[in-house]
Amino acid sequence: MKFDSPAGKNPIDRMQVIGKPTDRIDGKFKTTGTAPYAYERHDQVADPAYGYIVGAGIAKGRINAIDMADARRAPGVLAIVTAANAGKLTKGSFNTAKLLGGPEVDHYHQAVALVVAATFEQARAAAKLIRIDYARGKGRFDLAEALKTAPLEGANSGEGSAAPPIDRVGDFDAAYAAAPVKLDAEYTTPDHSHAMMEPHASTARWDGDELTLWTSNQMIDWGRGDVAKTLGIPKEKVRLDSPYIGGGFGGKLFVRADAILAALGAKAAGRPVKVALQRPLIINNTTHRPATVQRIRIGATPDGTITAIAHESGSGDLPGGGPETAVAQTKLLYAGANRLTAMRLAVLDLPEGNAMRAPGEAPGLMALEIAMDEMAEKLKLDPIEFRIRNDTQVDPEKPDRPFSQRQLVRCLREGAERFGWTARREPRAVRQGRWFVGMGVAAAFRNNMLMQSAARVRLETDGRLTVETDMTDIGTGTYTILAQTAAEMMGVGLDRVTVRLGDSRFPVSAGSGGQWGAANSTAGVYAACVKLREAVAAKLGLTGDVDFIGGQVTAGGRSVPLTDAARGAPIVGEDKIEYGKIAERAQQSTFAGHFCEVGVDAFTGETRIRRMLAVCAAGRILNPKSARSQVIGGMTMGAGAALMEDLAVDKRFGFFVNHDLAGYEVPVHADIPHQEVVFLDEADAYSTPMKAKGVGELGICGVGGAVANAIYNACGVRVRDYPITLDKLLGQLPAVA
């Protein structure tokens, strides 16, 4: 199905199933422990061997020798895989560093060996017996130092966040110099870990020359292609299966060492092998959100009109990597005739930087939304009013290109009313016992992406529907919204739909990432259902305006049970949604207003979040229940980024020191006492036939800025260096008796 013009009225608009707050279909399996995750595929592999990965003990250099004699003699050991015996491996299209290092080492904890044994304990014990002689090389681990000579470099995150090396509109320098009111400030964000609960894990089995990988991966077709490329085998000889994923947040967009080494280990041992990355390797071996150093300059007239805005960012990555696209939202979020964005990329020998929930916008808005508050204070304007005065209904860089939908002002105004914004006072003005109390706000922005997505829908002989697509469910509720789509389109109850996901034998979907999954994968099911509706109508001899509702197919005064169409044999509809140039006609984005209230302890500087609110405008909300879960999850991650998350870099030896969940702090329930989410009524006909967009990443965008602004309003201390820990507040708090 080609989608190249705005959607008109269609069966989804009935919203008998779509748009209803619906319990997740997969919830009962996850809560009872019966959902099959990658490391637990006992239903497919009865007696697997276990692999244990050895990570490099240096960040840069070379392996002189590996002594494996003791490990080979250890009980239960079946095979040991290294670069020396793995055969020729090619770096995957989506990988920056090799997934199996040696003899050259590219980063700390790069996989350099896999020990396969009959039990996990035997594999782990034998791995400890391997002795590696390294020649340590000189590495680059200090971002601030490396940025002093880093070149300008553009990038596209592949997730809707993109910017050239430098982009100028109008004459920023002249406009900024002439501006009566100016801001020039630097902000920093640290490296972040995805910290998902389920580790990167894979179970591999060879059947002759065909490989099956039960793995935890967000993008099945990308993964299948990279496994084939890395191992040097035809893509049709590789099957990936990933029906359940215990969190990814972008960290499982790409194939990692667990998958490749499970495959190599299974080949070497001659039996199925499963591998799970240890938590330190999840943090140092896989990807992370890169740290940034950002400079923002804003010039405005005394009435609060922005006349000049510049956002420059620097980040680092391994050779061949790309920058964090932290300036991307500044190209679109606020008006201003004279604009400048620029990015620099430093080469670092730290583990790979790559996509983490809302790459670009999440760290970019952590800086921009503090800058907007600082500028509002200079102008003596309310922060919400300042943002509203600089709203735009067109792309600021291309004024002839409107937004398809843009309700940011409504998000801010409705949020202010719900949150009680009128009670906000000047910094340090509200004191409750030992706590300074303050409110903060931030705008949120995330682009909508259109991606081709296919599905197959089968009407079974018993009248049930089966939906098949390689789309994944990373905890987002995909099973449910795809079932809702099929039920709505075919006029049956949700209990009559079975959804099968994550298998590369199914039609290729958009996959889970970049906030594109829900809108595009449901549109793929919509397209397949259109085909199925046509086939059913033809089988039943119905023509003209055919309606599917209540298990009946109706046209021209006739009403026939849907089950009649599949008597004797199932009927299949298969198609994909593909897009023309509709995205060029209007800028498609999502918006939100984030509000936060905090308390700051006047004696210790401890910050406690008291309540949070998000008001979102993100197209049609397919399932408000799971959408709310996505937004509050994003809000929680944003709070963590604001207050505690920080991968500490050892600048001598080039690794993240706090590489476990004891040292890398993330929020827990007690840190987030109250959250509220409001979705504005919106249907974006430019997006897909579903008129939906996405919310999964919008929920994290801007939250860090809202928390930071609330802290400043509470205690009067402005911190521009995330995370905002108590040590950064203590020295500037007012003296107390």
Side-chain angles (χ1 to χ4, degrees), residues 1 7-20 481-491 518-519 521-527 529-530 533 547-548 619-623 682-684 688-692:
M1 171 184 285
K9 188 176 181 181
N10 64 48
I12 296 298
D13 293 330
R14 288 187 307 212
M15 295 186 69
Q16 298 298 304
V17 188
I18 286 291
K20 304 300 183 187
I481 58 173
L482 295 189
Q484 287 176 276
T485 302
E488 192 80 79
M489 288 294 292
M490 302 307 298
S521 64
T522 53
V525 172
Y526 175 99
C529 285
V530 168
R533 285 164 64 106
D547 196 15
F548 290 68
R620 173 172 283 155
I621 303 301
L622 303 173
N623 182 352
E682 182 176 289
D684 194 333
T688 74
M690 306 295 295
K691 303 174 185 173

Side-chain angles (χ1 to χ4, degrees), residues 604-625:
T604 68
E606 174 192 6
T607 296
R608 302 297 297 179
I609 288 176
R610 295 185 164 204
R611 57 193 179 102
M612 304 175 79
L613 165 68
V615 180
C616 305
R620 173 172 283 155
I621 303 301
L622 303 173
N623 182 352
K625 194 167 193 174

Side-chain angles (χ1 to χ4, degrees), residues 365-383:
L365 284 163
M366 289 172 76
L368 179 62
E369 289 303 290
I370 294 182
M372 290 295 288
D373 258 45
E374 293 198 69
M375 193 63 179
E377 186 174 46
K378 283 177 174 283
L379 292 161
K380 297 181 171 56
L381 282 176
D382 177 85

Side-chain angles (χ1 to χ4, degrees), residues 280-352:
L281 264 69
I282 291 173
I283 288 179
N284 276 301
N285 174 282
T286 70
T287 63
H288 68 282
R289 190 197 303 282
T292 68
V293 178
Q294 304 178 50
R295 180 190 184 192
I296 296 177
R297 288 173 286 170
I298 303 175
T301 57
D303 68 352
T305 301
I306 293 175
T307 57
I309 184 167
H311 192 164
E312 299 163 89
S313 178
S315 58
D317 202 0
L318 289 165
E324 178 74 18
T325 52
V327 306
Q329 74 288 316
T330 308
K331 295 166 64 63
L332 289 162
L333 186 51
Y334 296 114
N338 303 285
R339 317 173 68 82
L340 166 68
T341 58
M343 296 189 296
R344 293 187 181 274
L345 176 63
V347 175
L348 297 178
D349 298 304
L350 293 170
E352 179 183 345

Side-chain angles (χ1 to χ4, degrees), residues 483-554:
Q484 287 176 276
T485 302
E488 192 80 79
M489 288 294 292
M490 302 307 298
V492 301
L494 201 61
D495 61 339
R496 302 293 291 167
V497 183
T498 298
V499 177
R500 302 176 67 196
L501 297 179
D503 192 328
S504 61
R505 296 178 300 186
F506 299 156
V508 176
S509 72
S512 295
Q515 194 176 277
W516 65 62
N520 291 288
S521 64
T522 53
V525 172
Y526 175 99
C529 285
V530 168
K531 287 285 190 184
L532 181 57
R533 285 164 64 106
E534 292 170 354
V536 167
K539 181 74 177 292
L540 296 175
L542 298 174
T543 58
D545 187 9
V546 183
D547 196 15
F548 290 68
I549 192 164
Q552 298 289 118
V553 187
T554 304

Side-chain angles (χ1 to χ4, degrees), residues 30-69:
K30 292 180 175 178
T31 54
T32 57
T34 54
Y37 288 90
Y39 200 71
E40 305 163 341
R41 293 314 298 265
H42 314 299
D43 58 324
Q44 299 290 329
V45 179
D47 187 27
Y50 293 78
Y52 193 91
I53 292 178
V54 177
I58 61 171
K60 186 72 175 175
R62 185 176 178 85
I63 295 174
N64 291 328
I66 303 180
D67 183 352
M68 298 180 286

Side-chain angles (χ1 to χ4, degrees), residues 378-568:
K378 283 177 174 283
L379 292 161
K380 297 181 171 56
L381 282 176
D382 177 85
I384 293 177
E385 178 61 26
F386 179 49
R387 288 171 171 85
I388 289 173
R389 289 189 188 186
N390 291 283
D391 184 49
T392 173
Q393 292 299 309
V394 299
D395 181 340
E397 296 191 357
K398 303 171 185 174
D400 59 341
R401 188 166 181 259
F403 284 90
S404 61
Q405 293 269 1
R406 182 178 167 118
Q407 297 197 77
L408 174 59
V409 170
R410 188 177 163 201
C411 290
L412 293 170
R413 284 185 170 146
E414 291 199 14
E417 183 177 352
R418 284 177 173 269
F419 206 67
W421 187 256
T422 55
R424 180 179 178 271
R425 297 291 178 263
E426 294 301 309
R428 290 184 187 166
V430 179
R431 182 82 176 262
Q432 295 177 5
R434 63 185 296 148
W435 297 93
F436 291 113
V437 180
M439 297 184 196
V441 67
F445 170 96
R446 179 70 175 163
N447 275 328
N448 183 56
M449 286 191 68
L450 304 180
M451 294 186 67
Q452 183 173 292
S453 193
R456 180 166 54 238
V457 183
R458 186 167 54 251
L459 177 62
E460 308 288 4
T461 55
D462 62 358
R464 294 186 60 83
L465 294 172
T466 300
V467 177
E468 294 176 335
T469 171
D470 80 355
M471 180 63 186
T472 50
D473 190 325
I474 57 176
T476 48
T478 306
Y479 280 98
T480 311
I481 58 173
L482 295 189
Q484 287 176 276
T485 302
E488 192 80 79
M489 288 294 292
M490 302 307 298
V492 301
L494 201 61
D495 61 339
R496 302 293 291 167
V497 183
T498 298
V499 177
R500 302 176 67 196
L501 297 179
D503 192 328
S504 61
R505 296 178 300 186
F506 299 156
V508 176
S509 72
S512 295
Q515 194 176 277
W516 65 62
N520 291 288
S521 64
T522 53
V525 172
Y526 175 99
C529 285
V530 168
K531 287 285 190 184
L532 181 57
R533 285 164 64 106
E534 292 170 354
V536 167
K539 181 74 177 292
L540 296 175
L542 298 174
T543 58
D545 187 9
V546 183
D547 196 15
F548 290 68
I549 192 164
Q552 298 289 118
V553 187
T554 304
R558 288 181 59 204
S559 185
V560 184
L562 177 64
T563 53
D564 285 4
R567 284 183 179 173

